[in-house]
Amino acid sequence: MKLFDVYPLFNINIVKGNACQTYDDQGTEYLDLYGGHAVISVGHTHPYYVQKLTEQLNSLSFYSNSVINKLQVELATKLGKQSGYDDYNLFLINSGAEANENALKLASFYNGRKKIVAFKKAFHGRTSAAARVTDNPKIIAPINDNISVEYLPVNDIEAVRKSLKKNDVCAVIIEGIQGVGGIVVPDVEFLQALREECTKTNTILIIDEVQSGYGRTGKFFAHQHADIKPDLITIAKGMGNGFPMGGVLISPMFEAVHGMLGTTFGGNHLACAAGIAVLDIMKAEKLIENAAKIGEYLKSELQKIPQIKEVRGLGLMIGMEFEQPIKELRSKLLYEQKVFTGASGTNVIRLLPPLCLSKADVNIFLERFKKCLE
Ligand code: PLP
């Protein structure tokens, strides 16, 4: 059997990792400024993370959601404390797409409505309702077009007001910072007004923090820069540092009913061990503070480079927009300078490194990056 060929792949076989470094099967070292789409939060093969997962693997990897799982309780308690959402509830699943699907479902249970408002260039995973970074008909299935999603421009509060006026929108879903769409940070005033409009019209506000959450922007969640509280928050990626897991943080206004949501693998013992280890490391090593500090340094150094049209983002979620396509530049960075980066569309390089990135790592990157621009 062959693999279904949906990913454009670099011809590199990564077999090992350590903090912000990865190694291919020839032993060549690469600086990882992408962390596998923002997944590596505490660093590759962190010893505490490896130890906790190994211990768990040696005792029990899985039992179903039909018995008490105290690891889920420990994870929820720690996550509540560290994120500032102590009073919310947690539902555990396995990925970002599942987190958003469950959040939309909860919203619809709550107010009985069907319409969704999302934003142009949004990406919410391969969900039935809300992924629209492209209009390519080979990628958007007809079934997706039949679900009622209205895509509005980010920061256009009047368009949101107009849409919510009839009190028939189920939920507004927005990323804390748009990632796949090009690192677009919504205005603080826009997010605050969005919160107000949703409350006024009994519309559920979902913030998708799958990419922007878990400390990446220098706060636990990106929306905390705007000092607002959504009704539902979706998480995944950095939550397990590579172990597939996701979650929905649910406001106390939602009442749980047995059978309302469900999953086989969500919140399994191994995933919880990974999630707890991540939170322990983030706290012990002050990785959120590190993301804020190192991110600011990296951003300010990038802003001095005249070839870059615009540098956007917060903490360690940074986009560099160029006048011209970046494909060649990214290949040079990878094949000649041994640095992994990401892309958004044709002209934006996306940096989503592990949150343990050091100033020395940044300086190595800047030196190699400048060589590619010569
Ligand atoms: N939401 C956002 C903002 C994302 O960036 C992604 C993935 O890139 C997803 C949801 C989907 O997550 P997953 O690929 O785990 O389903």
Side-chain angles (χ1 to χ4, degrees), residues 65-85:
N65 280 317
S66 58
V67 293
I68 291 166
N69 178 348
K70 288 201 176 164
L71 291 170
Q72 290 187 1
V73 179
E74 183 182 345
L75 175 63
T77 307
K78 286 185 169 165
L79 178 56
K81 280 211 178 80
Q82 283 174 235
S83 68
Y85 280 96

Side-chain angles (χ1 to χ4, degrees), residues 246-267:
V248 188
L249 274 67
I250 305 166
S251 143
M253 72 196 211
F254 292 87
E255 194 188 335
V257 175
H258 288 172
M260 188 184 203
L261 306 174
T263 161
T264 299
F265 289 118

Side-chain angles (χ1 to χ4, degrees), residues 337-357:
Q337 298 299 326
K338 314 296 178 201
V339 180
F340 275 107
T341 59
S344 297
T346 51
N347 289 25
V348 178
I349 289 189
R350 201 160 35 130
L351 304 179
L352 302 162
L355 307 184
C356 58
L357 192 76

Side-chain angles (χ1 to χ4, degrees), residues 21-57:
Q21 274 69 37
T22 52
Y23 303 84
D24 68 12
D25 51 5
Q26 312 295 308
T28 307
E29 184 181 291
Y30 294 81
L31 179 61
D32 184 8
L33 289 197
Y34 193 48
H37 311 299
V39 165
I40 303 302
S41 46
V42 299
H44 293 280
T45 61
H46 190 291
Y48 179 84
Y49 175 85
V50 174
Q51 181 203 328
K52 289 289 169 189
L53 267 169
T54 309
E55 279 169 15
Q56 191 58 47
L57 198 51

Side-chain angles (χ1 to χ4, degrees), residues 123-195:
F123 185 77
H124 299 293
R126 307 306 169 119
T127 44
S128 55
R132 194 47 71 89
V133 269
T134 172
D135 284 321
N136 182 347
K138 286 192 177 153
I139 294 177
I140 301 285
I143 194 172
N144 293 55
D145 268 344
N146 291 330
I147 287 169
S148 170
V149 187
E150 189 180 6
Y151 294 91
L152 303 178
V154 176
N155 292 334
D156 186 345
I157 195 63
E158 283 315 316
V160 173
R161 282 197 182 112
K162 203 168 145 209
S163 189
L164 300 195
K165 211 164 60 185
K166 282 194 231 142
N167 290 335
D168 64 349
V169 173
C170 170
V172 173
I173 181 165
I174 184 166
E175 288 156 85
I177 293 180
Q178 283 191 338
V180 179
I183 311 293
V184 179
V185 187
D187 292 344
V188 165
E189 300 73 31
F190 174 70
L191 286 178
Q192 290 172 346
L194 193 58
R195 174 62 282 180

Side-chain angles (χ1 to χ4, degrees), residues 37 94-100 123-127 175-180 208-212 234 236-237 245 350:
H37 311 299
N94 314 289
S95 69
E98 273 180 273
N100 287 329
F123 185 77
H124 299 293
R126 307 306 169 119
T127 44
E175 288 156 85
I177 293 180
Q178 283 191 338
V180 179
D208 179 343
E209 294 276 4
V210 167
Q211 193 171 140
S212 55
T234 56
K237 292 199 190 279
M245 64 189 308
R350 201 160 35 130

